[in-house]
């Protein structure tokens, strides 16, 4: 599993220019980030008790883009980052290439499929008072299909 999440985090950094963290860790500060939360694993085409290493599985993650701030530079950065997600969804049909390191010499290529989960929104620390700093949040679902033998001891 570590190989797949590492490949996803590297692809987010390369393709979107954003850091990512695997929840429930907590990032510091107001840096733009993608927060990844594992939501499930399932067999893809085989029964869940199929022990064949030739089968495929898929994992699902929630990905939440978050940026916080209070000024024009911050909102401009949120717009630039949001455009990157739009390009990923529209231009590439949500497909992000992941290069998974198998060992020191071998890699495998798989894809993460991103789907937007509604419009972005502003989140205030105290909703009743609309106090600052405000966060801008966009939510995505990521599905990654991979050979069953990718997840083992690692």
């Amino acid at each position: 599993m570590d190989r797949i999440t590492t490949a996803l985090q590297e692809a987010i950094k390369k393709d979107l220019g954003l850091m990512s963290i695997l929840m429930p860790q907590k990032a510091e500060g107001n840096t733009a980030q993608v927060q990844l939360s594992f939501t499930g694993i399932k067999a893809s085409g085989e029964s869940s008790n199929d022990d064949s290493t030739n089968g495929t599985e898929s994992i699902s993650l929630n990905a939440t883009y978050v940026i916080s701030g209070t000024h024009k530079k911050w909102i401009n950065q949120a717009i630039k980052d949001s455009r990157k997600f739009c390009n990923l969804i529209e231009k590439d049909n949500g497909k992000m290439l992941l290069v998974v390191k198998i060992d020191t010499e071998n890699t495998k290529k798989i894809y993460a499929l991103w789907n937007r989960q509604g419009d972005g929104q502003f989140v205030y620390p105290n909703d009743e008072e609309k106090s600052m700093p405000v966060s801008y949040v966009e939510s995505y679902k990521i599905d990654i299909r991979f050979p069953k033998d990718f997840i083992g001891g690692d």
Side-chain angles (χ1 to χ4, degrees):
M1 183 68 190
D2 184 53
R3 294 185 286 209
I4 294 171
T5 55
T6 298
L8 177 61
Q9 289 180 293
E10 289 171 358
I12 289 169
K13 179 71 174 165
K14 178 180 170 243
D15 294 354
L16 301 174
L18 297 167
M19 75 174 211
S20 62
I21 57 171
L22 189 59
M23 301 302 283
Q25 298 171 9
K26 182 82 172 149
E28 298 297 323
N30 294 335
T31 305
Q33 60 191 274
V34 176
Q35 299 171 345
L36 301 170
S37 303
F38 173 75
T39 59
I41 187 168
K42 64 182 177 184
S44 292
E46 297 83 22
S47 68
S48 59
N49 61 1
D50 180 5
D51 290 332
S52 166
T53 58
N54 297 331
T56 59
E57 292 178 314
S58 66
I59 57 170
S60 298
L61 299 115
N62 287 330
T64 306
Y65 166 76
V66 179
I67 187 169
S68 300
T70 58
H71 47 78
K72 188 191 295 189
K73 182 180 176 189
W74 160 75
I75 196 67
N76 286 338
Q77 186 61 49
I79 291 167
K80 287 179 190 178
D81 291 343
S82 190
R83 280 186 185 147
K84 294 175 193 175
F85 285 104
C86 288
N87 286 336
L88 174 66
I89 301 298
E90 293 170 9
K91 183 180 125 198
D92 299 326
N93 294 319
K95 288 174 68 172
M96 176 183 275
L97 175 66
L98 307 183
V99 179
V100 180
K101 295 176 185 167
I102 302 303
D103 54 40
T104 55
E105 299 175 10
N106 298 310
T107 61
K108 298 262 185 183
K109 295 179 180 178
I110 59 175
Y111 290 92
L113 182 59
W114 290 67
N115 288 297
R116 191 171 179 148
Q117 304 293 296
D119 293 335
Q121 58 186 328
F122 290 100
V123 178
Y124 295 88
N126 182 343
D127 258 345
E128 291 180 19
E129 296 179 22
K130 304 287 188 215
S131 59
M132 296 293 176
V134 64
S135 294
Y136 176 73
V137 176
E138 292 182 4
S139 298
Y140 296 86
K141 181 181 179 209
I142 303 173
D143 291 304
I144 305 171
R145 188 174 177 182
F146 54 90
K148 200 171 193 175
D149 61 356
F150 269 31
I151 297 181
D154 289 343

